[in-house]
Amino acid sequence: MPQLHRRVLAVWVANCFGDVFLLGSRINHSCAPNVHFAYNSALGKQTFHAIRDIEAGEELAIMYINGTNRTRGQRQDELKKWGFRCNCPICEDTSRGRKKEEKRVELFRLDQELATYTRFNFQHGPEDSWKKALKAAQRMAGLQKSEGLLNRDLSISYHDAARYSARLGDASMALLWAEKELEVDRYCVGVDHPHYSSESDTVRQLREAVESSLPFDQSSIKWFDSCDSPSNDNEACAVM
């Protein structure tokens, strides 16, 4: 392959979301991003949403990988495919960076613990396992929020907390966590995203269940049928 062709191909691989976007492909990576991106099938567009207040002059940054609950070493290994080593404040070898990394190690541990509960015990596991899974999901959400990790991984933690609350028959708590998930997805993907519309229907059903005098039956809400959490959209990214 001619050198020019190899160079063009390398630029494509390093800067695409499946396609190359004039502005989106110029956004850099951070392990503590202030922007979330997602493909909106209803609009037929890749969309970018601020997930926290951004100061004037502050660089916009997205997360190229699903790295919220990964350790520094895991994140760096994953980022090798883009040909750089991350030096964001979370990854820097400073006192602050090391303290942040301790929280990421704890998030990874909780993520693995929750995955075990979800994989083996969601449908028919003992009630004690559901209680432990709920506690792990709540702990994850608390850590993610305190660390300013306000992307879809926080939404997934809320989703898990809602599902296990429902599994334990607590419709009120399931509604509380589902409302938190809906709020995160509102600013992560936007109210015009199909996933947000589906979640809105779920919250409505949960609210009706809480307000009714009938016993709560989670099987009546399809959202709880699957043990799969909502997918995270950060599967492709851009590098400059």
Side-chain angles (χ1 to χ4, degrees):
M1 180 183 295
Q3 179 66 26
L4 177 60
H5 291 183
R6 287 199 296 269
R7 183 176 180 182
V8 170
L9 181 60
V11 170
W12 166 268
V13 170
N15 290 278
C16 73
F17 295 77
D19 295 294
V20 172
F21 299 92
L22 181 62
L23 295 178
S25 294
R26 301 184 66 84
I27 302 178
N28 285 322
H29 165 86
S30 172
C31 294
N34 53 21
V35 172
H36 183 86
F37 70 91
Y39 181 75
N40 188 319
S41 59
L43 300 177
K45 295 180 179 180
Q46 189 79 245
T47 61
F48 297 81
H49 296 260
I51 58 177
R52 62 169 174 79
D53 292 340
I54 299 174
E55 299 291 336
E58 180 182 353
E59 181 181 8
L60 302 181
I62 58 177
M63 187 176 289
Y64 291 3
I65 58 176
N66 295 326
T68 299
N69 303 325
R70 295 186 185 181
T71 65
R72 180 186 298 165
Q74 292 168 329
R75 298 194 305 272
Q76 298 290 6
D77 284 344
E78 182 70 14
L79 289 168
K80 284 180 180 178
K81 69 176 70 174
W82 283 282
F84 74 95
R85 182 175 181 81
C86 182
N87 291 310
C88 75
I90 308 301
C91 291
E92 63 185 6
D93 189 18
T94 62
S95 176
R96 178 175 180 270
R98 288 189 289 272
K99 288 181 180 179
K100 293 288 186 182
E101 179 60 16
E102 290 176 2
K103 301 294 180 62
R104 295 300 180 99
V105 171
E106 175 66 4
L107 282 172
F108 175 71
R109 185 192 68 77
L110 288 167
D111 186 56
Q112 296 302 297
E113 178 183 341
L114 189 57
T116 300
Y117 290 128
T118 301
R119 187 177 302 113
F120 299 111
N121 298 312
F122 179 70
Q123 296 294 341
H124 306 292
E127 183 174 313
D128 184 59
S129 292
W130 298 336
K131 290 179 179 178
K132 290 178 179 178
L134 174 58
K135 185 176 180 180
Q138 291 172 325
R139 173 63 176 160
M140 282 188 68
L143 270 176
Q144 289 163 342
K145 189 172 182 179
S146 67
E147 290 297 295
L149 302 170
L150 308 178
N151 55 17
R152 289 292 299 283
D153 286 319
L154 175 59
S155 172
I156 290 171
S157 295
Y158 286 149
H159 181 84
D160 286 330
R163 289 188 301 122
Y164 280 106
S165 293
R167 179 60 69 174
L168 290 165
D170 192 337
S172 295
M173 288 305 299
L175 174 61
L176 182 149
W177 294 116
E179 287 177 332
K180 288 180 178 291
E181 177 187 0
L182 186 66
E183 173 61 17
V184 173
D185 280 340
R186 181 186 66 79
Y187 63 71
C188 275
V189 301
V191 297
D192 52 5
H193 195 285
H195 182 75
Y196 182 87
S197 298
S198 175
E199 280 187 329
S200 296
D201 289 340
T202 296
V203 170
R204 176 184 55 77
Q205 292 179 65
L206 278 170
R207 189 174 293 112
E208 291 173 353
V210 170
E211 293 173 351
S212 73
S213 58
L214 299 175
F216 173 59
D217 179 11
Q218 72 155 28
S219 65
S220 65
I221 300 178
K222 293 182 179 180
W223 188 71
F224 294 115
D225 289 349
S226 171
C227 64
D228 295 328
S229 297
S231 62
N232 193 309
D233 301 285
N234 291 2
E235 296 178 351
C237 65
V239 178
M240 288 303 296

